[in-house]
Each structure stands twice: as C-alpha cells, then as structure tokens.
Amino acid sequence: MEEMIQEHIERLLSYMKEEAYKPLTTGELESAFGIEDSEEFKTFVKALVQMEEQGLVVRTRSNRYGLPEKMNLVRGKVVGHSKGFAFVVPEEADLEDVFIPPTELNNAMHGDIVLVRVNKRAEGGSRQEGTVIRIVERSVKQIVGTYTESKNFGFVIPDDKKVTSDIFIPKEATGGAVEGHKVVVKITTYPEGRLSAEGEVVEILGHKNDPGVDILSVIHKHGLPGDFPKEALDQAIAVPDEISEEDMKGRRDLRDEVIVTIDGADAKDLDDAVTVTQLDNGNYKLGVHIADVSYYVTEDSPIDKEALDRGTSVYLVDRVIPMIPHRLSNGICSLNPKVNRLTLSCEMEINPSGEVVKHEIFQSVIKTTERMTYTDVNKILVDKDEETRSHYESLVPMFEEMERLAEILRTKRMTRGAIDFDFKEAKVLVDKEGNPTDVVLRERSVAERLIEEFMLAANETIAEHFHWLNVPFIYRVHEDPKEEKLQRFFEFITNFGYVVKGKGNSVHPRALQEIIEAVQGKPEEMVVSTVMLRSMKQAKYDEESLGHFGLSTEYYTHFTSPIRRYPDLIVHRLIRTYLIEGKIDEDTQAKWKEKLPEIAEHTSNRERRAVDAERETDELKKAEYMLDKIGEEYDGIISSVTNFGMFVELPNTIEGLVHVSYLTDDYYSYDERHYAMIGERTGKVYRIGDEITIRVVNVDKDERSIDFEVVGMKGTRRTLSKDAPRVIKSDAGKPPKGRSQKRKRDKDVDDYTFEIGWSTQSPNKKKKTEKKHYENAPKAKRKKKKKR
C-alpha cells in the first residue's frame, strides 16, 4: 500500500510540474490519470491527502490541487527573532528568504515548516514579505529554558531567544522544578490565538548557577547526543585491543617506513599519519595514511547507525561528544605511536610544480615512528631549537622535506586562485569546574600549514580518482557565490579604496585572494575578510562533484578524518567497496546512488548543528570570562557598525557592543553605505576597521552579551582612502572547470576557512538575529504571557 501511495505521489508531482498544468479537482485528476478501479482510486485519494498534509500540494477553496510555487506560495523553515518577526528560508535553494511580520506568523514557531503566501516586497524592493497560511510540521518538540514560578503555575523562559513565547507550565506539570532551575520542557499544546504554548517539565538539568549546567543546557538545546546505546558500546567492547595477523592479510606492510603523526599536544584521536621522501627524479613521494575505521565500523552495525545519526564529533569548550565510542576513537582506530595500526593509504608522486603525476590508493598496516606535536615541529622548523632538533635528529631531514613540499603545494594552490583566509581563532581555557581562566589565540604556524597542505592534496586526489571512475561518491562542495552578494561585497570594499573589475560569477577566486593579500596587515584586514566570507555560500556535502570555489579546485572530498566525520567514513567504505572488494556492479552502484543524497544532506545538517553548539559555548564562556573585567580598558577594532551601535573585537576575539546610547558626546547617525557612525555636530566618524580603546561596562552571561563604551580613538579614518584605488581584475586566470556555476583543529583548509564565522543567514539577518539582545538599551522588562 505504502509503495503504491509513494508511486502516486511521484506521478502527481511530475504531472503538476508540467508547464501547462493548472489546479484540478480530485475527479479531474482521476480522469487525467485514467483511474477506474475503486481500490486504486482509494490509494490515489490517500496520496493526495498525504501530499496536502506534507505541504507538497495546496488545496484551494474550490477543492483544486496545485503546487505551492505555482500559487504564489513558498514552503520553508521559520527562523525566528526575539523581536517577534521571523524569516522563512525556502526549501528551494535559489529562492529568496521571506520576511514575516509578527502579525503574519499565525502561531508558527521558530523551526516550523510552513507554507507562506508572498504578499509584497518591502519598501525599496530589498526583500519579500509574506504571511504564514499553514503550519505543515511542528519542529520544536522540546525546549530548554529557565523555570520561573508563580503561585498556581509556572513559566519556562526559553534559552533560544528565537522562540519568543514563554512556555506555560501547569502546577501539576512542573516535575518538581523550582525558581532558577534549568529544565527540559516537552510541549503538550502549541500556541493558539493569544494563548501561549503549554508544556510539562520532563527533566531538571540543575540550577542555572551550578557548575556545568550552562554547557549541559546548550547540549540539550541543540539536541546533541548523550551516552552511546548499549548495542554500540557492546560492539566497541568486542573489538580487540591489538592487531592480529589475520587483520593484516591482504594489506601492504609499511611498518618499516618512517611515518609520523603531527597533532596538537592534547589530541587523543589520531586519525592521520604522513611521510615524505624525495625521489631520484626530483619528485616527492607523499604518503598520507588514514585510520581504517571502516574495517571496524561495518555498514548498518550498531556503531555505524549511531555514527550516522551523530554525523560528526562535537568539540565543546570543556568536553568532546564523539562520533564513535572512545574505545575505538582513542584506541584501536587511533594511530598511536609505535604500535601496529590498520590504515587506508593514498600515496602521491608530486613534481616540483606541485602536480600529482601519479597516485595509488590501497589498504595498509603501519607502525608510526613518532607521535609529533605541532609545537615540536615548529621548534624544529621555525625556531631551529637545538635541543628539540637533537632529540628528533633522525627525523629532522624529513621534516625539512615536508616544509619544502608543503610550500610547493601551497604555491600551486594559491597560483590557481585558492582563497586562504587567516582568521584569528581563539581557545577558551577552563578549570575543572568549567570556569573560564583565559582566552588564548590558536597558532597556525608552519607545522599546522604543512599538515593542511598534505590533507588537501589527499582529499583532492581521492575526489578526482572517483570522479573519473564515474561511480556514486560523496564530495565536499563549495558552490560559486551568488552574484548579488558578491556585488554588495565589492561595493563595500570601495570604502577602503579597492575596486574589482568584473561582475558576478565571472569573478575568479584569485581576484578575491588578491583582495585578501592587499588588506594583509592593514586595519581593515579582519573586517574585509569577514564580509567576504559572508558573501560566499556554505561548504557542504553532496553526491555530485560540483567543485570547490574557495579552494579553486574541480574535485574535493573529505577522506582524512573518519574518526570524527561520517562522510569521511563513507568515503572509506566506498573505497573498500569499489577498489578493494572490486564491487562496481550495477546493483552496488544503484544502492549507493539512492543512499548518498540523504547521507550528504543529513551530515551537512549535523555539521551545522555542531558548529552552532560549539560557537554558542565559546560565546557563553567568553562572556563569563569578562564578568570580572567590568571597568577595565582594552584596545580593539570596530568589527561591525549597525543603526543601534557598533561592535568592537578585542585582540583575543572577544566581541562587545558600544550601543549608540553610550555615544554621549554627539548625536550619531548610521551611514549604511560607508558602514559608519557619523556625529551630527562634531563630524566624528566611527567606521569598520577603526582602532579604538574601550571600557567594559556590562556583561550578561545569560544573553552572551558584553557592553563597551568608547574611551579613545587610535586609528580612525575620517574620510575614504586618499590613495589611488587598488584595481583587482576579476578574470585573473581561467575559472575551474566542471562546476555547475575549539574543537579539534581541522586539518583541511576547507574547514579551517569556509566554516569559520558561518551562519545559515545572510550578513544582515545574522546581525539581526545574533545581536538581537543589544537592540534596546536599557532592556525592556519581559512581558507576561497570557496564561491558559
């Protein structure tokens, strides 16, 4: 029955998408499909009902069925705002977001899937506005928040400020919660008319001031997983601690080769090892050996199902939520020093121009010579520290070969037009109770960069191999930016005297990299890089090889981190299937062709969830770190300017707001074109990139907000640059072909760059949503909700 219903749904959707289709009644559709059998008619009607419930079709008042997009309707996801309005992000990627005023939400909540009627464009035509006409699916089932009690009932104030209504809790549903408890609430009744949503407390996390409860609340808020299920743990326990002779059969034995791991000092899941030698012909041989997790985590096993659901490991400030059990990730799958380990290897022969002239992919067994840290490799290569070089004397020549090869690879990558952002990345240090003790910058020196280059080379080589093999595969893609976003960015950088020749998608990545190079070391470097990043699309996983704009390459995948990223595990599984087991038959390809799109979408979503949770815990702990810094002064750079104030970033990446109400020496107006605050009387100008001295005046840990006031100015530019504009040609080089026009540090430069500062929203909406708590000063008192 279900198969027949699904078949009818697919036929109906295909029929309705035809250009000549107009809304038809059930009877007219019945005639069009030639349905005469009564049983088939029942199934046909059930398919229509199911399609309507899912929002795939809309039934008009005259009982005619049509597609939403053909009836001026958009299906999408609600992204709420603390002020009560929202945006609907369409499911179709090419459609614009729709602004929904508070009066037009019709009880839809943040996260709901809805149908929206597009009514008009806002003044100036900058955005669409609409009305929610139907809630297709309620997304939020549970909410994390702070319980506050009244005499005969209680409320839970959601931690997620995009959920604008407090949740009404009847007295009998409090679950023993008292004032100040952080709780998890199950929604029992959704908002209706003027009535609030109603719920029951299903879990008490602890008092909001108890150690660790803040991070625990973030974990529950984002729906991050807890303990592994018993079946997965039992499977992990059953895996031996050591490699047997049977395990090594059919593998290339590389245990006598000089192979090392290079990671952070605190890393425990070592999933990649490398070796470099120079060949007699002047070329280099680069070996990248990755933990063979797919050998232990087999398809549809308990660990595999759980790893798929998790999608990725999550690296929070004070803990790691792993993708696979620690017994594997820190044990038999970790390439620990001087022990036998199973790996999948990609060996590449690279010429002095950085081209991979030959490669081989195979299963192997290795025994790493040494467990190196970034610090020690930097001491060897950068500091020339005699003690460290003496300790690793036999390995020093190889590290020097690595440095030379990495520079060759980097030069080739930058020549072809790859964009290399060099954002400051901070790490929050905490004590045993989770209290922040310092915020320090992560170093990205020679050792980190050489590993990045080696991982990039392996990822590209694997991706190109399977692209030309023409079999179902999973890729890491970064599509070309939207033309209008690039144009807004180009208009923005004219404020600093930079001009890009060319328009829209004719812009080659190299032109953007030239901008990065032009601003290097200048006050505007950080803000130009940030605005450029936000003008680009988000990297994601896809079953199609669409290329990677930021890396300026036609082929890219993730192969190097199967311990902590599920797509990498799938890549390993496909390598095993196609190359090692030799299964490239029609049935095997059909199976993976069906499975990969869903895996790609799911893991992309899980990655975004992890990034959001990691960012929120960082912001939480940064705000907590500043609690005892009120009254202290710091130098910083204006990172953003809005109509309600300006954000200032300190050297350690902590950001705070100078609200317009704190600019008391004049009346200031916002100049949107120049991203500046201009004093009406004095003519004083505050612009993005200006260096100023601030004083910390207020910190609100719950809101993750820090308020500054201006003490003095250091490097303010009063006018546009008087220098001759720096002209950058957008058609530099031929565009890559084949494109369809904190955590543990990622060793793929793709992750290191294009994921930092990422948001699901456009830059303007990002400011509106993430900076929402600053828009009114002083803050208005919370309005009491109407109880049921």
Side-chain angles (χ1 to χ4, degrees):
M1 173 67 78
E2 286 300 322
E3 290 181 4
M4 291 180 64
I5 290 175
Q6 190 59 40
E7 185 179 330
H8 279 307
I9 289 175
E10 291 173 2
R11 289 175 62 201
L12 281 163
L13 285 175
S14 178
Y15 180 63
M16 291 178 179
K17 286 178 180 177
E18 292 178 4
E19 191 172 341
Y21 178 80
K22 61 181 181 180
L24 300 176
T25 64
T26 305
E28 289 168 337
L29 286 168
E30 178 189 1
S31 300
F33 280 82
I35 295 174
E36 297 178 356
D37 181 75
S38 60
E39 286 301 317
E40 186 180 3
F41 177 70
K42 289 179 182 177
T43 308
F44 186 75
V45 171
K46 286 181 179 178
L48 277 172
V49 171
Q50 189 169 316
M51 290 170 73
E52 185 183 2
E53 289 175 348
Q54 294 175 358
L56 300 175
V57 297
V58 176
R59 181 159 54 98
T60 68
R61 293 178 181 177
S62 58
N63 291 319
R64 296 177 181 274
Y65 292 90
L67 295 176
E69 57 266 32
K70 291 195 174 186
M71 303 171 73
N72 198 34
L73 299 176
V74 173
R75 177 185 160 114
K77 185 176 183 179
V78 177
V79 177
H81 188 282
S82 61
K83 294 297 179 185
F85 60 81
F87 290 89
V88 168
V89 180
E91 290 181 347
E92 289 191 36
D94 294 333
L95 297 181
E96 295 179 48
D97 295 355
V98 183
F99 174 76
I100 312 295
T103 55
E104 304 300 324
L105 270 167
N106 293 325
N107 297 313
M109 298 175 66
H110 169 69
D112 288 347
I113 304 298
V114 298
L115 288 178
V116 173
R117 176 175 289 112
V118 179
N119 300 327
K120 61 178 180 179
R121 283 191 174 272
E123 188 176 344
S126 60
R127 68 184 180 194
Q128 298 181 113
E129 289 191 7
T131 300
V132 174
I133 65 164
R134 182 173 172 189
I135 299 169
V136 176
E137 180 185 338
R138 289 289 191 180
S139 174
V140 179
K141 305 294 191 297
Q142 291 188 334
I143 285 177
V144 177
T146 306
Y147 180 81
T148 180
E149 56 187 355
S150 188
K151 185 175 181 181
N152 298 313
F153 55 88
F155 284 106
V156 169
I157 303 168
D159 283 356
D160 191 343
K161 302 309 176 187
K162 294 175 184 176
V163 180
T164 55
S165 297
D166 297 347
I167 312 301
F168 174 75
I169 310 294
K171 200 69 176 176
E172 65 275 10
T174 62
V178 298
E179 184 77 27
H181 267 158
K182 284 287 184 183
V183 298
V184 180
V185 173
K186 177 184 176 183
I187 296 181
T188 55
T189 306
Y190 288 93
E192 183 179 344
R194 296 185 62 196
L195 298 177
S196 301
E198 186 174 312
E200 63 174 323
V201 175
V202 294
E203 186 175 357
I204 298 172
L205 304 178
H207 193 275
K208 64 180 182 180
N209 295 329
D210 289 346
V213 170
D214 50 1
I215 301 294
L216 194 59
S217 297
V218 173
I219 289 171
H220 280 78
K221 172 184 170 182
H222 291 278
L224 298 175
D227 295 335
F228 283 90
K230 183 178 184 302
E231 296 81 3
L233 291 176
D234 288 344
Q235 181 188 349
I237 292 171
V239 175
D241 289 327
E242 297 180 356
I243 307 298
S244 68
E245 290 296 325
E246 184 67 26
D247 294 329
M248 292 188 282
K249 283 185 178 178
R251 291 178 178 270
R252 190 175 302 182
D253 193 340
L254 304 178
R255 287 177 290 177
D256 290 335
E257 288 198 10
V258 178
I259 299 173
V260 298
T261 59
I262 306 177
D263 290 90
D266 56 352
K268 296 181 176 63
D269 48 349
L270 314 180
D271 44 19
D272 57 90
V274 292
T275 182
V276 170
T277 53
Q278 188 161 25
L279 304 176
D280 293 338
N281 62 4
N283 293 345
Y284 293 87
K285 186 179 83 169
L286 167 63
V288 175
H289 310 284
I290 309 299
D292 192 357
V293 181
S294 65
Y295 182 79
Y296 300 100
V297 182
T298 53
E299 188 176 356
D300 291 330
S301 65
I303 294 179
D304 184 52
K305 290 176 180 177
E306 183 67 16
L308 170 60
D309 182 56
R310 294 179 178 225
T312 181
S313 295
V314 185
Y315 295 82
L316 304 180
V317 171
D318 63 346
R319 70 196 75 187
V320 176
I321 301 175
M323 186 181 79
I324 62 176
H326 282 305
R327 179 176 168 80
L328 294 183
S329 64
N330 296 355
I332 197 71
C333 289
S334 181
L335 306 183
N336 297 332
K338 302 177 182 180
V339 292
N340 295 339
R341 285 294 183 259
L342 306 183
T343 48
L344 281 184
S345 298
C346 179
E347 282 190 352
M348 294 152 279
E349 184 176 335
I350 302 170
N351 68 20
S353 299
E355 297 169 336
V356 178
V357 296
K358 189 186 300 182
H359 73 273
E360 194 175 1
I361 305 165
F362 55 91
Q363 58 179 353
S364 54
V365 56
I366 68 170
K367 187 176 184 180
T368 57
T369 308
E370 199 68 64
R371 189 260 201 251
M372 299 297 299
T373 65
Y374 292 129
T375 301
D376 282 342
V377 175
N378 285 326
K379 283 182 179 180
I380 291 169
L381 297 177
V382 180
D383 302 334
K384 308 294 184 184
D385 181 78
E386 288 301 326
E387 184 179 348
T388 308
R389 289 174 71 91
S390 175
H391 183 74
Y392 297 109
E393 184 177 3
S394 62
L395 297 176
V396 168
M398 184 177 72
F399 291 136
E400 291 174 341
E401 294 284 5
M402 286 183 175
E403 185 177 20
R404 286 190 285 272
L405 176 58
E407 184 56 37
I408 289 171
L409 290 171
R410 176 176 168 77
T411 300
K412 177 179 181 292
R413 186 164 60 85
M414 302 312 290
T415 300
R416 77 185 182 201
I419 306 168
D420 187 15
F421 294 102
D422 195 10
F423 286 105
K424 290 184 294 183
E425 186 182 0
K427 179 179 181 180
V428 183
L429 306 180
V430 296
D431 60 22
K432 292 181 179 179
E433 292 191 340
N435 301 312
T437 57
D438 201 0
V439 180
V440 298
L441 293 179
R442 296 178 186 267
E443 187 179 17
R444 188 178 174 224
S445 190
V446 169
E448 289 86 349
R449 290 178 185 272
L450 70 83
I451 288 295
E452 286 174 4
E453 295 299 336
F454 295 165
M455 298 305 109
L456 272 174
N459 286 335
E460 288 185 45
T461 301
I462 295 289
E464 183 171 5
H465 182 100
F466 286 94
H467 171 86
W468 293 116
L469 197 57
N470 197 27
V471 290
F473 204 65
I474 192 166
Y475 297 91
R476 181 69 168 178
V477 304
H478 185 230
E479 297 173 273
D480 293 359
K482 286 188 177 180
E483 183 175 344
E484 58 271 22
K485 284 194 173 184
L486 271 185
Q487 288 307 311
R488 284 200 296 269
F489 169 69
F490 294 152
E491 290 170 9
F492 165 69
I493 63 172
T494 59
N495 292 312
F496 303 99
Y498 302 102
V499 178
V500 176
K501 295 288 187 180
K503 293 185 177 180
N505 287 332
S506 64
V507 174
H508 188 273
R510 186 176 301 155
L512 301 181
Q513 176 58 30
E514 287 181 15
I515 296 172
I516 294 292
E517 293 169 358
V519 301
Q520 192 169 7
K522 296 182 180 178
E524 65 265 22
E525 177 182 6
M526 178 268 299
V527 68
V528 169
S529 298
T530 300
V531 176
M532 180 191 293
L533 179 64
R534 290 175 180 171
S535 72
M536 296 184 185
K537 289 188 176 181
Q538 168 66 8
K540 64 179 182 178
Y541 297 106
D542 201 285
E543 72 278 10
E544 299 291 336
S545 182
L546 304 177
H548 199 295
F549 178 82
L551 295 175
S552 193
T553 181
E554 300 171 49
Y555 321 103
Y556 197 67
T557 191
H558 275 171
F559 160 73
T560 54
S561 295
I563 289 177
R564 59 191 182 87
R565 291 189 306 222
Y566 194 77
D568 302 56
L569 178 56
I570 288 294
V571 165
H572 280 227
R573 190 166 289 155
L574 293 175
I575 290 173
R576 181 174 300 283
T577 299
Y578 296 143
L579 298 189
I580 298 170
E581 297 173 359
K583 294 180 181 177
I584 315 185
D585 57 275
E586 193 172 308
D587 288 345
T588 299
Q589 292 197 47
K591 164 192 161 183
W592 286 107
K593 189 174 183 179
E594 181 182 355
K595 292 182 70 170
L596 288 176
E598 185 177 346
I599 291 173
E601 182 178 5
H602 173 77
T603 52
S604 294
N605 292 334
R606 285 298 194 240
E607 176 189 36
R608 291 165 196 157
R609 180 180 73 169
V611 169
D612 287 345
E614 289 165 359
R615 180 180 294 115
E616 184 168 347
T617 54
D618 280 349
E619 290 175 352
L620 174 74
K621 289 302 178 182
K622 284 178 180 178
E624 186 178 352
Y625 175 73
M626 296 298 287
L627 279 171
D628 62 354
K629 308 294 188 297
I630 293 175
E632 295 189 14
E633 297 180 3
Y634 301 93
D635 292 335
I637 293 178
I638 298 175
S639 58
S640 179
V641 180
T642 73
N643 60 355
F644 55 84
M646 53 194 185
F647 293 94
V648 178
E649 184 176 288
L650 306 184
N652 61 3
T653 74
I654 289 176
E655 190 177 57
L657 174 81
V658 178
H659 195 275
V660 68
S661 62
Y662 290 141
L663 298 173
T664 57
D665 63 330
D666 200 348
Y667 290 103
Y668 284 84
S669 58
Y670 173 53
D671 184 329
E672 185 174 6
R673 182 173 178 272
H674 294 102
Y675 290 77
M677 282 286 195
I678 302 174
E680 294 180 8
R681 179 178 55 83
T682 62
K684 186 183 290 185
V685 178
Y686 293 102
R687 287 198 334 177
I688 282 183
D690 286 349
E691 298 174 322
I692 64 175
T693 303
I694 56 86
R695 180 183 295 115
V696 183
V697 294
N698 187 50
V699 178
D700 188 329
K701 178 186 171 184
D702 292 338
E703 297 283 353
R704 286 74 157 141
S705 66
I706 305 167
D707 292 332
F708 296 153
E709 65 180 359
V710 177
V711 175
M713 306 185 73
K714 295 173 69 66
T716 304
R717 296 178 307 282
R718 307 287 177 170
T719 61
L720 290 177
S721 173
K722 295 179 180 178
D723 299 331
R726 165 75 185 273
V727 178
I728 295 172
K729 295 181 180 180
S730 66
D731 58 350
K734 294 181 180 179
K737 300 175 183 177
R739 286 202 309 270
S740 54
Q741 323 277 11
K742 74 187 168 187
R743 58 185 294 181
K744 175 177 176 179
R745 170 184 229 108
D746 281 312
K747 296 180 177 182
D748 311 282
V749 79
D750 153 66
D751 284 331
Y752 185 78
T753 58
F754 298 100
E755 318 309 323
I756 293 175
W758 171 80
S759 161
T760 57
Q761 302 148 5
S762 66
N764 288 336
K765 279 183 285 179
K766 181 179 184 346
K767 290 173 188 173
K768 289 174 183 173
T769 54
E770 292 191 356
K771 313 303 183 184
K772 56 192 174 295
H773 46 272
Y774 291 122
E775 292 183 275
N776 287 322
K779 296 172 185 170
K781 292 183 179 178
R782 175 174 296 275
K783 295 178 181 178
K784 288 294 181 184
K785 310 300 176 187
K786 185 177 180 68
K787 70 176 182 178
R788 289 184 173 269

Coordinates of all heavy atoms in Angstrom, one line a residue, residues 262-270 315-320 326 329-330 334 336 371-375 427-430 440 442 448 742-745 747:
I262 N 51.3 14.2 13.3 CA 51.5 15.5 13.8 C 50.2 16.1 14.2 O 49.3 16.4 13.3 CB 52.2 16.4 12.7 CG1 53.5 15.7 12.2 CG2 52.6 17.8 13.3 CD1 54.2 16.5 11.0
D263 N 50.0 16.4 15.5 CA 48.7 16.8 16.0 C 49.0 17.8 17.2 O 50.1 18.0 17.6 CB 47.9 15.7 16.5 CG 47.4 14.8 15.4 OD1 48.1 13.8 15.0 OD2 46.3 15.1 14.9
G264 N 47.9 18.4 17.7 CA 48.0 19.2 18.9 C 48.4 18.3 20.1 O 48.2 17.1 20.1
A265 N 49.0 18.9 21.1 CA 49.5 18.2 22.2 C 48.4 17.4 23.0 O 48.7 16.4 23.6 CB 50.3 19.1 23.2
D266 N 47.2 18.0 23.0 CA 46.1 17.4 23.7 C 45.2 16.4 22.9 O 44.2 15.9 23.4 CB 45.2 18.4 24.4 CG 44.7 19.4 23.3 OD1 45.1 19.3 22.2 OD2 43.8 20.3 23.7
A267 N 45.6 16.2 21.6 CA 44.8 15.3 20.8 C 44.9 13.9 21.2 O 46.0 13.4 21.6 CB 45.2 15.5 19.3
K268 N 43.7 13.2 21.2 CA 43.7 11.7 21.6 C 43.3 10.8 20.5 O 43.6 9.7 20.5 CB 42.8 11.5 22.8 CG 43.3 12.2 24.1 CD 42.4 12.0 25.2 CE 42.9 12.6 26.5 NZ 43.0 14.1 26.4
D269 N 42.6 11.4 19.5 CA 42.1 10.6 18.3 C 42.9 11.0 17.1 O 42.6 11.9 16.4 CB 40.6 10.8 18.1 CG 40.2 12.3 18.1 OD1 41.1 13.2 18.5 OD2 39.1 12.6 17.6
L270 N 44.0 10.2 17.0 CA 45.0 10.5 15.9 C 44.6 9.7 14.6 O 44.8 8.5 14.6 CB 46.4 10.1 16.3 CG 46.8 10.5 17.8 CD1 48.2 10.1 18.1 CD2 46.7 12.1 17.9
Y315 N 33.1 19.4 19.5 CA 34.2 19.8 20.4 C 33.7 21.0 21.1 O 33.8 22.2 20.6 CB 35.4 20.0 19.6 CG 36.0 18.7 19.0 CD1 35.5 18.3 17.8 CD2 37.0 18.0 19.7 CE1 36.0 17.1 17.2 CE2 37.5 16.8 19.1 CZ 37.0 16.4 17.9 OH 37.4 15.2 17.4
L316 N 33.2 20.9 22.3 CA 32.8 22.0 23.1 C 33.9 22.5 24.0 O 35.0 21.8 24.0 CB 31.6 21.6 24.0 CG 30.4 21.0 23.2 CD1 29.2 20.7 24.1 CD2 29.9 22.0 22.2
V317 N 33.7 23.5 24.7 CA 34.8 24.1 25.5 C 35.5 23.1 26.5 O 36.7 23.1 26.6 CB 34.3 25.4 26.3 CG1 35.4 25.9 27.2 CG2 33.9 26.5 25.3
D318 N 34.7 22.4 27.2 CA 35.2 21.5 28.3 C 35.0 20.1 28.0 O 35.2 19.3 28.9 CB 34.6 22.0 29.6 CG 33.1 21.7 29.6 OD1 32.5 21.5 28.6 OD2 32.5 21.8 30.7
R319 N 34.5 19.7 26.8 CA 34.2 18.2 26.6 C 34.1 18.0 25.1 O 33.9 18.9 24.3 CB 33.0 17.8 27.3 CG 31.7 18.4 26.7 CD 30.5 18.2 27.7 NE 30.6 19.2 28.8 CZ 29.8 19.3 29.8 NH1 28.8 18.4 29.9 NH2 29.9 20.2 30.7
V320 N 34.2 16.7 24.8 CA 34.0 16.2 23.4 C 32.9 15.2 23.4 O 32.8 14.3 24.3 CB 35.3 15.5 22.9 CG1 35.1 15.0 21.5 CG2 36.5 16.5 22.9
H326 N 34.8 6.0 22.6 CA 36.2 6.3 22.9 C 37.1 5.1 22.8 O 38.3 5.2 22.4 CB 36.3 6.9 24.3 CG 36.0 8.4 24.3 ND1 36.5 9.3 23.5 CD2 35.0 9.1 25.1 CE1 36.0 10.5 23.8 NE2 35.1 10.4 24.7
S329 N 37.9 5.3 19.1 CA 38.5 6.6 18.6 C 39.8 6.9 19.3 O 40.7 7.5 18.7 CB 37.5 7.8 18.9 OG 37.2 8.0 20.2
N330 N 40.0 6.5 20.5 CA 41.2 6.7 21.2 C 42.1 5.5 21.3 O 43.2 5.5 21.8 CB 41.0 7.3 22.7 CG 40.3 8.6 22.7 OD1 40.1 9.2 21.6 ND2 39.9 9.1 23.8
S334 N 42.9 4.8 16.7 CA 43.9 6.0 16.8 C 45.3 5.5 16.4 O 45.8 4.5 16.9 CB 43.8 6.5 18.2 OG 44.7 7.6 18.3
N336 N 48.2 5.6 17.3 CA 49.1 5.8 18.5 C 50.5 5.4 18.1 O 50.8 4.6 17.2 CB 48.6 5.1 19.7 CG 47.2 5.5 20.1 OD1 46.9 6.7 19.9 ND2 46.4 4.7 20.7
R371 N 55.1 10.2 17.6 CA 53.9 11.0 17.8 C 54.4 12.4 18.0 O 54.8 12.8 19.1 CB 53.1 10.5 19.0 CG 51.7 11.1 19.1 CD 51.8 12.3 20.1 NE 50.4 12.6 20.6 CZ 49.8 13.7 20.4 NH1 50.3 14.6 19.6 NH2 48.6 13.9 20.9
M372 N 54.3 13.2 16.9 CA 54.9 14.6 17.0 C 53.7 15.5 17.3 O 52.6 15.3 17.0 CB 55.5 15.0 15.6 CG 56.6 14.1 15.2 SD 58.1 14.2 16.3 CE 58.5 16.0 16.2
T373 N 54.1 16.7 17.9 CA 53.1 17.7 18.2 C 53.5 18.9 17.3 O 54.6 19.1 16.8 CB 53.2 18.2 19.6 OG1 54.5 18.8 19.9 CG2 53.0 17.0 20.6
Y374 N 52.5 19.8 17.0 CA 52.7 21.0 16.2 C 53.8 21.8 16.9 O 54.7 22.4 16.2 CB 51.4 21.8 16.2 CG 50.3 21.2 15.4 CD1 49.0 21.1 15.9 CD2 50.6 20.8 14.1 CE1 48.0 20.5 15.1 CE2 49.5 20.2 13.3 CZ 48.3 20.1 13.8 OH 47.3 19.6 13.1
T375 N 53.8 21.9 18.2 CA 54.8 22.7 18.9 C 56.2 22.2 18.6 O 57.1 23.0 18.3 CB 54.5 22.6 20.5 OG1 53.2 23.1 20.7 CG2 55.5 23.5 21.2
K427 N 40.9 30.0 21.7 CA 40.5 28.8 22.5 C 40.3 29.3 24.0 O 41.1 30.1 24.5 CB 41.6 27.8 22.5 CG 41.4 26.6 23.4 CD 42.5 25.6 23.3 CE 42.2 24.3 24.1 NZ 43.3 23.3 24.0
V428 N 39.1 28.9 24.5 CA 38.8 29.3 25.9 C 39.3 28.2 26.8 O 39.0 27.0 26.7 CB 37.3 29.5 26.1 CG1 37.0 29.9 27.5 CG2 36.7 30.5 25.1
L429 N 40.2 28.6 27.8 CA 40.7 27.7 28.7 C 39.8 27.7 30.0 O 39.4 28.8 30.5 CB 42.2 28.0 29.1 CG 43.1 28.2 28.0 CD1 44.5 28.5 28.5 CD2 43.2 26.9 27.1
V430 N 39.5 26.5 30.5 CA 38.6 26.4 31.7 C 39.3 25.5 32.7 O 40.1 24.7 32.4 CB 37.2 25.9 31.3 CG1 36.5 26.8 30.4 CG2 37.3 24.5 30.7
V440 N 42.9 32.4 24.7 CA 44.1 32.5 24.0 C 44.0 32.2 22.5 O 43.0 31.5 22.1 CB 45.2 31.5 24.6 CG1 45.5 31.8 26.0 CG2 44.7 30.1 24.5
R442 N 44.8 30.6 19.0 CA 45.5 29.4 18.5 C 46.5 29.8 17.4 O 46.3 30.7 16.7 CB 44.4 28.4 17.8 CG 43.4 27.9 18.8 CD 42.4 27.1 18.0 NE 41.3 26.6 18.8 CZ 41.2 25.4 19.4 NH1 42.2 24.6 19.3 NH2 40.1 25.1 20.1
E448 N 51.3 23.4 11.3 CA 49.8 23.3 11.0 C 49.6 23.5 9.5 O 48.8 22.7 9.0 CB 49.1 24.4 11.8 CG 49.0 24.2 13.3 CD 50.2 24.8 14.1 OE1 51.2 25.1 13.4 OE2 50.1 24.9 15.3
K742 N 39.1 25.0 19.7 CA 37.8 24.7 19.9 C 37.6 23.3 19.6 O 37.8 22.6 20.5 CB 36.8 25.5 19.3 CG 36.5 25.4 17.8 CD 35.6 26.4 17.3 CE 35.6 26.4 16.0 NZ 35.1 27.0 15.3
R743 N 37.3 23.2 19.3 CA 37.2 21.9 18.7 C 38.6 21.5 18.3 O 39.5 22.3 18.3 CB 36.2 22.0 17.5 CG 36.7 23.0 16.5 CD 35.7 23.2 15.4 NE 35.6 21.9 14.6 CZ 34.9 21.8 13.6 NH1 34.1 22.8 13.2 NH2 34.8 20.6 13.0
K744 N 38.6 20.3 17.9 CA 39.9 19.8 17.3 C 40.1 20.6 16.0 O 39.2 20.6 15.2 CB 39.9 18.3 17.1 CG 41.1 17.8 16.4 CD 41.1 16.3 16.2 CE 42.3 15.8 15.4 NZ 42.3 14.3 15.3
R745 N 41.3 21.1 15.8 CA 41.5 21.9 14.7 C 41.4 21.1 13.4 O 42.0 20.0 13.3 CB 42.9 22.5 14.7 CG 43.3 23.2 13.4 CD 44.7 23.7 13.5 NE 44.7 25.0 13.0 CZ 44.9 26.1 13.8 NH1 45.1 25.9 15.0 NH2 44.9 27.3 13.3
K747 N 42.2 19.8 9.9 CA 43.5 19.8 9.1 C 43.2 20.1 7.6 O 44.1 20.2 6.8 CB 44.2 18.4 9.2 CG 44.6 18.2 10.7 CD 45.3 16.9 10.8 CE 45.8 16.7 12.2 NZ 46.6 15.5 12.4

